[in-house]
Amino acid sequence: MDDLQEFARQVFASQPFSQFIGARLASSGPGHAELQLPIVDHLKQQHGFVHGGVLSYLADNAITFAGGLALGGNALTSEYKINYLKPAVGSLLIARAQAKAAGKRQAVCQCEVFAVKEGVETLCALAQGTVVSAA
């Protein structure tokens, strides 16, 4: 378990875009991952909501981590879809993903993205995707 978590930390630390945007890997384990991202002005669109592309990034990356950890190693997103449910406003985004089914070469994962405002989590997006082994 510790080796898998260290692997996840190393992979996340090696992602230039994740570092640039300010995301962090809050927790991970076999088949699950949680990413967090502080909401700052440059992540918002013209209405003051977090841009959909930012929510999409979080969902995609959380899904890939959950699937990759379920598969035991390096992985890539094969496909995913996202439903935007509510505008994301607040101080923090949290993406929680879980592998729902995993075989030898692929895992199907789901992710919930929450916006946290004044300590209250609001579900703002749902995503589902397929992750494949990169090996």
Side-chain angles (χ1 to χ4, degrees):
M1 172 75 120
D2 289 338
D3 290 340
L4 196 57
Q5 289 179 332
E6 181 57 29
F7 171 74
R9 284 190 288 273
Q10 288 176 3
V11 169
F12 195 83
S14 71
Q15 295 180 338
F17 184 74
S18 293
Q19 304 312 307
F20 173 76
I21 201 169
R24 73 180 193 93
L25 180 63
S27 67
S28 64
H32 68 88
E34 179 178 306
L35 302 183
Q36 296 184 357
L37 177 64
I39 296 175
V40 293
D41 285 341
H42 65 268
L43 300 179
K44 298 177 182 177
Q45 42 87 301
Q46 72 275 14
H47 299 293
F49 309 138
V50 176
H51 192 282
V54 175
L55 300 176
S56 186
Y57 150 77
L58 277 177
D60 175 28
N61 211 11
I63 283 170
T64 305
F65 267 89
L69 293 170
L71 295 171
N74 280 315
L76 300 167
T77 301
S78 174
E79 62 79 31
Y80 80 103
K81 76 170 298 297
I82 188 164
N83 292 95
Y84 301 106
L85 306 176
K86 292 187 178 185
V89 294
S91 59
L92 181 69
L93 293 172
I94 301 173
R96 293 186 185 110
Q98 290 187 328
K100 295 298 186 177
K104 292 181 182 179
R105 300 183 49 96
Q106 74 176 20
V108 175
C109 304
Q110 291 179 332
C111 181
E112 297 177 319
V113 182
F114 299 88
V116 181
K117 182 177 182 182
E118 298 174 2
V120 177
E121 293 184 9
T122 299
L123 182 63
C124 56
L126 290 170
Q128 179 170 303
T130 304
V131 176
V132 296
S133 176

